[in-house]
Amino acid sequence: MTQHQTAQTMKPATAAKKLGVYLDATPADFREGVVSRAELNALQTDPPEWLRDLRRDGPHPRPVVAAKLGVSISGLARGGVTEALTTEQIEALKAENPEWLRKERETQAEVRKESVRIKEKRAEEAEKAARAERD
């Protein structure tokens, strides 16, 4: 008996998230359909003009905005940024460098430092445990 394989599909919101684009800015036919795994791979491999434009100019979803500004998504919310921003708006924010953005970047830097410290501490503890096992 042969099994029929069905194509794995996803909602447009999931596909947009995987592509790193803002769903509301995508073409209507993308938003209104479903996206197969093969279609997603094709979009990633050879992006059409609309996808290249969105990735370059935006509007960008919050995770992308946060990454471009060097802050967390929560930091964006604390700064009052709740909407998608274009690349131009992001660059203007960087140039303006408001107080909230400076604070959030400092916070993000501290979080990164702490993550590195914890990772190093765990590695050191694992090394000590491995040495203790050998002895």
Side-chain angles (χ1 to χ4, degrees):
M1 192 172 184
T2 10
Q3 289 183 335
H4 296 286
Q5 238 182 353
T6 58
Q8 183 182 12
T9 60
M10 61 193 83
K11 295 177 182 176
T14 303
K17 187 175 183 179
K18 289 179 181 286
L19 293 169
V21 295
Y22 185 57
L23 178 63
D24 291 347
T26 60
D29 60 329
F30 180 86
R31 286 191 311 268
E32 294 164 1
V34 294
V35 180
S36 71
R37 175 65 62 188
E39 289 169 329
L40 178 69
N41 290 340
L43 287 169
Q44 289 172 325
T45 305
D46 186 21
E49 188 65 29
W50 65 265
L51 182 54
R52 288 193 301 269
D53 290 345
L54 274 179
R55 287 178 169 168
R56 182 184 58 245
D57 303 325
H60 303 287
R62 286 180 304 147
V64 174
V65 173
K68 287 180 179 272
L69 290 173
V71 300
S72 66
I73 295 172
S74 300
L76 281 181
R78 285 189 293 270
V81 178
T82 57
E83 300 297 318
L85 298 180
T86 64
T87 301
E88 187 177 311
Q89 291 169 314
I90 293 168
E91 293 305 318
L93 255 177
K94 284 179 177 179
E96 182 185 323
N97 201 17
E99 180 64 25
W100 72 265
L101 183 56
R102 286 192 297 276
K103 285 182 180 177
E104 291 301 332
R105 283 180 165 169
E106 289 171 11
T107 299
Q108 193 69 5
E110 289 300 319
V111 167
R112 286 187 196 110
K113 282 182 198 171
E114 182 65 7
S115 294
V116 168
R117 186 191 69 77
I118 290 170
K119 184 177 179 181
E120 289 171 351
K121 182 179 178 188
R122 286 183 180 155
E124 187 179 300
E125 289 171 353
E127 190 177 310
K128 283 182 185 176
R131 264 191 263 131
E133 257 184 46
R134 286 191 305 253
D135 294 344

